[in-house]
Amino acid sequence: MNTHYFIGIKIPPTLATDIIEARDKTNLHETHKTLPFKEDLHITLFYIGAMASEQIEHIIQSLQNIDWSSFNLTTNGLAHFGSNRTPRVVYTDLEESDSLKRLQKEVVKTLSDCIKTEHTKDFNAHITIAKKWASKGLLSIKDFHLPKSTFEVSCYSVFKINPNSKPRYEEIASIRCKGG
């Protein structure tokens, strides 16, 4: 079985702790099957899926060639995918960022030279805090209070997914910005 990979931005530890502490004041642990560990919080730039390790090395080398500058991102409350009553994914939202959108497009463009990228969905930057609805009860997120927080993005990573490990995502390469 091939290992699965994705490209993403790791959330700084202090912010990750704040997000988990805010999540713990909700009932998401009762309503959802999967609650990511603090160390696993990230913003996905592209999900690669199953890939041989030789191919992933080529991808990492190609990603090193992207010319980009560091930028800031700001959290923006809570949002979800799916219905209001039974959301399949609950996430910390982010303010719009042209720099992030540009980076994500460059990552996809670079990947398309290496692998088949059937990338049809619009990019919606977010930090998943719960997924896979698993309850007959009602969601209660009124106690989720996370002040807006700004953080710098100066690198992104290639992660290997280890489904049976905790945390699940192993950083195998970090790609730093080239500009100031």
Side-chain angles (χ1 to χ4, degrees):
M1 179 177 104
N2 280 341
T3 303
H4 289 233
Y5 299 89
F6 70 92
I7 298 165
I9 298 168
K10 198 173 192 72
I11 302 307
T14 305
L15 176 57
T17 297
D18 293 345
I19 291 170
I20 297 302
E21 286 174 359
R23 180 184 71 189
D24 288 348
K25 293 180 179 143
T26 70
N27 72 339
L28 287 167
H29 60 284
E30 297 168 10
T31 59
H32 287 76
K33 287 182 191 173
T34 305
L35 300 176
F37 293 96
K38 174 180 78 170
E39 299 83 1
D40 283 342
L41 294 182
H42 67 278
I43 301 161
T44 301
L45 295 174
F46 190 84
Y47 177 76
I48 297 170
M51 174 121 338
S53 58
E54 307 80 50
Q55 284 180 289
I56 209 71
E57 287 304 320
H58 177 65
I59 285 172
I60 290 167
Q61 288 174 356
S62 297
L63 291 170
Q64 304 274 4
N65 296 323
I66 296 175
D67 188 14
W68 65 289
S69 297
S70 63
F71 56 89
N72 288 332
L73 292 175
T74 302
T75 60
N76 193 25
L78 207 56
H80 66 274
F81 297 127
S83 77
N84 287 336
R85 291 180 54 86
T86 59
R88 67 183 184 284
V89 175
V90 179
Y91 60 88
T92 300
D93 202 6
L94 297 164
E95 290 183 355
E96 288 284 318
S97 168
D98 290 338
S99 297
L100 176 60
K101 287 180 183 176
R102 263 193 309 279
L103 175 60
Q104 192 270 343
K105 280 188 170 120
E106 282 298 317
V107 165
V108 172
K109 182 173 168 261
T110 300
L111 288 173
S112 68
D113 293 338
C114 304
I115 60 173
K116 192 173 188 175
T117 56
E118 296 175 10
H119 195 265
T120 56
K121 284 195 255 176
D122 287 337
F123 178 60
N124 182 349
H126 64 279
I127 305 165
T128 297
I129 64 168
K131 60 186 177 181
K132 298 182 182 170
W133 181 264
S135 177
K136 294 194 182 343
L138 296 173
L139 179 64
S140 175
I141 54 176
K142 66 183 181 317
D143 292 328
F144 183 92
H145 299 291
L146 181 69
K148 281 192 177 197
S149 182
T150 299
F151 60 99
E152 182 183 29
V153 176
S154 59
C155 67
Y156 62 93
S157 304
V158 177
F159 292 95
K160 175 179 165 182
I161 301 172
N162 299 309
N164 300 320
S165 297
K166 295 178 184 179
R168 294 181 61 201
Y169 307 137
E170 175 187 348
E171 182 181 57
I172 61 165
S174 178
I175 293 104
R176 297 205 61 78
C177 66
K178 296 198 184 293

